[in-house]
Amino acid sequence: MSAQKKPRVAKAVARKSSPAATRRERVQSKEDAIIAAAHKSLTTRGFTKTTMSEIARKAGVAEGTLYLYFNNKNALARAVLAAFYKRLTETAKVGVGKCATTREKLEFLARHHLESIIGERRLLELISSDVRNTEAYEGSDIYKMNREYVAVFDDVMRDGIWCGEIEEGAAQWIKRDIFFGSLEYSMRTLLMKKRSSKKDITAVVTELVKLLMDGAGAQFEPMSNHDLIKAVERVDAAAIRLERLSAVKM
Amino acid sequence: MSAQKKPRVAKAVARKSSPAATRRERVQSKEDAIIAAAHKSLTTRGFTKTTMSEIARKAGVAEGTLYLYFNNKNALARAVLAAFYKRLTETAKVGVGKCATTREKLEFLARHHLESIIGERRLLELISSDVRNTEAYEGSDIYKMNREYVAVFDDVMRDGIWCGEIEEGAAQWIKRDIFFGSLEYSMRTLLMKKRSSKKDITAVVTELVKLLMDGAGAQFEPMSNHDLIKAVERVDAAAIRLERLSAVKM
DNA sequence: ATATATAATGAATATCACTCAGTGACTAAA
DNA sequence: TTTAGTCACTGAGTGATATTCATTATATAT
């Protein structure tokens, strides 16, 4: 037994979590720490450049420990994404609740979505690249989270149709795609501009909602109520003159 | 000089390209072969799962040779993407040229884009994940290719505005984002459906163009000029009758 | 024919995701 | 308190893969 493996000595690291916590609580807080560390790395450096050892270091655990909590790098990324969706859905619901009209709700949702995905743009990588392809997307956590999130939009649209603010048109899922698709693409464009300002975001939001509610086609010069009333008044005045005329002659 | 490196013997591989070609031509055809091989792997297996050795094998060259033509895996992927954009732009221009109205042009462009990105969906990964982040996007080949491609859409819209089929609205880039963003998002949705049929594509295309041109909001029953003129004519006729009446009485 | 430039090669290296044999901490029963 | 058992953790080791570079092969010019 000569070249036996050297037994590793525990470094007696001070517990990060409160020592009095139960085992379950300690495990939970460690999971949170890992997700937080992963979130930070993923959002600042992107999926590919983020290494597991980096996450482990940030979270204050050994590399192997990550794999006790998540099967692999993708699963960890998915957990981060799930947490993001949860926050996103929550704030979206709250915000919509404070709006009165359908237009206000849509504008809030659009702005909220756009600002959020600009802030955490690196997370969207995960959706389009590895995460969606690695496993059966349908039935996954992310899929459910996404469903729950876009349901907020669906509800707004349903209400809008119900109270006549929106015309009941084609399949709902198409409008949903138009809404979220436009915003994600706009994000890319905004990020490419030298200084994407608040004004740009407002422009995108306004135009998108305008399109969803009013359309962008050249209207065929609809007459305004004002014009119509003036025209009617003139006719009215003419009729009165005629009435007077015939009354005098009678 | 005992354990000297064994000199590698060339395998005297039969030339793939015609031996009579010039040096320049031979290099070009090899580059094409590499891009073709990379395209095949990338579209079937995705970026991460595609290995450089796999591409080298498919292209019939050594692994090191790949790096004589492209600096790294990302650069190679970018070249594949550039070729894709080139084809896409070409076919888009040709197709639009065959359409008469703005609506037809937009519907063609939408369908063409959607069908193309569904067919080569794995290439889109590249845009959102590594490619865009690896280097300064602006000024890169991909950026220029993309500009050229979306210019086809811009031209259609400009024509549409010029001949009055489209209303001149907000910034053009916003409408562009709405167009392409909706289609890319729709692609995801379509791919998730069990059997995404031709009919689904048609529905998306129709609805998107309808939205861009006519809008989806509940119109407030605007009075048309035609209706107004008819109304005025009726009033006019009534006035004439009255005039005749008073003339008789005179 | 020889020299020079160009093109190609593949073993070696570095980096990273992931594994596993082993260590320590806590808990419950004796 | 002691002891056995389970849970949580560790980090060196493994295999896969992108990238490099010393070397060899081929084509062209003199």
Side-chain angles (χ1 to χ4, degrees):
Chain A
M1 223 185 257
S2 53
Q4 193 187 8
K5 267 184 194 166
K6 172 185 67 183
R8 271 153 292 175
V9 179
K11 280 191 288 178
V13 162
R15 285 239 151 275
K16 297 292 193 317
S17 51
S18 55
T22 68
R23 184 176 286 206
R24 170 83 208 135
E25 282 167 340
R26 264 178 282 127
V27 166
Q28 180 62 48
S29 88
K30 189 151 285 189
E31 182 172 314
D32 293 344
I34 291 173
I35 289 182
H39 177 264
K40 187 159 199 176
S41 288
L42 287 173
T43 47
T44 53
R45 295 165 45 75
F47 184 80
T48 318
K49 286 190 184 167
T50 296
T51 68
M52 292 301 268
S53 65
E54 180 190 341
I55 296 172
R57 196 163 7 91
K58 274 209 178 84
V61 298
E63 227 176 307
T65 308
L66 299 181
Y67 292 88
L68 297 177
Y69 289 82
F70 304 96
N71 282 327
N72 49 45
K73 194 179 172 187
N74 274 319
L76 176 49
R78 252 179 271 129
V80 170
L81 202 51
F84 169 65
Y85 264 125
K86 203 173 169 187
R87 289 196 302 276
L88 199 64
T89 307
E90 208 49 55
T91 46
K93 276 180 181 167
V94 170
V96 165
K98 289 178 184 164
C99 296
T101 66
T102 298
R103 183 177 296 266
E104 279 168 13
K105 286 176 190 169
L106 288 179
E107 281 182 354
F108 167 80
L109 266 190
R111 177 182 300 274
H112 176 258
H113 187 74
L114 192 48
E115 285 174 351
S116 300
I117 63 179
I118 283 176
E120 317 231 10
R121 76 204 78 137
R122 299 315 252 283
L123 290 186
L124 290 193
E125 273 183 43
L126 309 179
I127 298 179
S128 50
S129 59
D130 282 66
V131 178
R132 282 227 173 143
N133 299 319
T134 325
E135 61 169 83
Y137 180 59
E138 203 160 337
S140 71
D141 277 0
I142 297 297
Y143 179 76
K144 282 176 206 146
M145 293 274 173
N146 184 273
R147 296 282 300 182
E148 212 176 315
Y149 175 54
V150 300
V152 179
F153 170 84
D154 291 345
D155 288 347
V156 169
M157 290 298 274
R158 196 177 319 116
D159 285 358
I161 290 169
W162 186 82
C163 64
E165 291 182 78
I166 304 250
E167 177 185 75
E168 183 157 15
Q172 178 63 11
W173 61 272
I174 295 179
K175 293 206 186 121
R176 195 196 301 142
D177 290 347
I178 289 172
F179 186 78
F180 290 107
S182 302
L183 292 172
E184 289 191 16
Y185 207 89
S186 294
M187 175 199 70
R188 290 195 210 158
T189 309
L190 285 174
L191 289 175
M192 249 155 51
K193 300 182 88 174
K194 303 274 178 277
R195 302 201 8 90
S196 61
S197 62
K198 281 256 175 194
K199 264 179 68 182
D200 285 329
I201 292 183
T202 302
V204 169
V205 167
T206 309
E207 182 71 6
L208 175 58
V209 174
K210 180 170 154 245
L211 208 67
L212 275 175
M213 298 195 71
D214 309 325
Q219 306 292 335
F220 42 89
E221 293 279 335
M223 165 165 285
S224 70
N225 285 345
H226 178 253
D227 288 345
L228 178 62
I229 288 168
K230 272 180 74 173
V232 167
E233 280 171 352
R234 284 178 58 189
V235 173
D236 218 32
I240 290 169
R241 287 199 306 275
L242 284 170
E243 278 169 350
R244 282 192 190 140
L245 190 63
S246 63
V248 168
K249 285 200 174 155
M250 245 193 278
Chain B
M1 217 187 256
S2 52
Q4 193 188 9
K5 268 183 194 167
K6 173 184 68 184
R8 273 153 290 173
V9 179
K11 281 191 289 176
V13 161
R15 283 240 150 275
K16 298 292 194 314
S17 53
S18 55
T22 69
R23 182 176 287 204
R24 172 80 210 137
E25 282 168 340
R26 264 177 281 128
V27 166
Q28 181 62 49
S29 88
K30 189 152 282 187
E31 182 174 313
D32 292 346
I34 291 173
I35 290 183
H39 178 265
K40 187 159 200 176
S41 288
L42 288 173
T43 47
T44 54
R45 295 164 46 75
F47 184 80
T48 319
K49 287 190 183 166
T50 296
T51 68
M52 292 301 267
S53 66
E54 180 190 341
I55 295 173
R57 198 161 7 88
K58 276 212 179 82
V61 298
E63 234 175 303
T65 307
L66 299 181
Y67 291 87
L68 297 178
Y69 289 81
F70 304 96
N71 281 327
N72 49 43
K73 194 179 171 187
N74 273 319
L76 176 49
R78 251 180 272 129
V80 170
L81 202 50
F84 169 65
Y85 264 125
K86 202 173 170 189
R87 288 196 302 277
L88 200 63
T89 306
E90 208 48 53
T91 46
K93 277 181 181 166
V94 170
V96 164
K98 290 180 184 165
C99 297
T101 67
T102 298
R103 174 168 250 118
E104 278 168 13
K105 287 176 190 169
L106 288 178
E107 282 182 356
F108 167 80
L109 265 190
R111 176 183 300 274
H112 176 257
H113 188 75
L114 191 49
E115 286 175 350
S116 300
I117 62 179
I118 284 177
E120 317 233 9
R121 76 202 78 137
R122 300 313 255 282
L123 291 186
L124 289 192
E125 274 182 42
L126 309 180
I127 297 180
S128 51
S129 59
D130 283 65
V131 178
R132 281 227 175 144
N133 299 319
T134 326
E135 62 171 83
Y137 181 58
E138 202 160 336
S140 72
D141 278 359
I142 296 297
Y143 178 75
K144 282 177 208 148
M145 293 272 172
N146 185 274
R147 295 282 301 180
E148 214 177 313
Y149 175 54
V150 300
V152 179
F153 172 84
D154 290 346
D155 288 346
V156 169
M157 291 297 275
R158 196 175 322 115
D159 284 358
I161 289 168
W162 186 81
C163 66
E165 290 182 78
I166 305 249
E167 177 185 74
E168 183 157 15
Q172 178 63 12
W173 62 274
I174 296 179
K175 293 207 186 119
R176 195 196 301 144
D177 290 348
I178 289 171
F179 187 78
F180 290 107
S182 302
L183 291 172
E184 288 191 17
Y185 208 87
S186 295
M187 175 199 70
R188 291 194 209 156
T189 310
L190 285 174
L191 289 175
M192 249 156 51
K193 301 184 86 172
K194 303 274 179 280
R195 299 198 14 85
S196 62
S197 61
K198 281 256 172 192
K199 266 179 66 180
D200 285 329
I201 292 183
T202 301
V204 168
V205 167
T206 309
E207 182 71 6
L208 176 58
V209 174
K210 180 170 153 243
L211 208 65
L212 275 177
M213 298 196 70
D214 310 323
Q219 304 294 336
F220 47 88
E221 293 281 334
M223 167 167 283
S224 68
N225 284 345
H226 179 254
D227 288 346
L228 177 62
I229 288 168
K230 271 178 76 174
V232 168
E233 280 171 352
R234 285 177 59 188
V235 173
D236 216 29
I240 289 169
R241 287 199 305 276
L242 283 169
E243 279 170 348
R244 282 193 192 136
L245 190 63
S246 65
V248 167
K249 280 195 178 160
M250 246 194 278

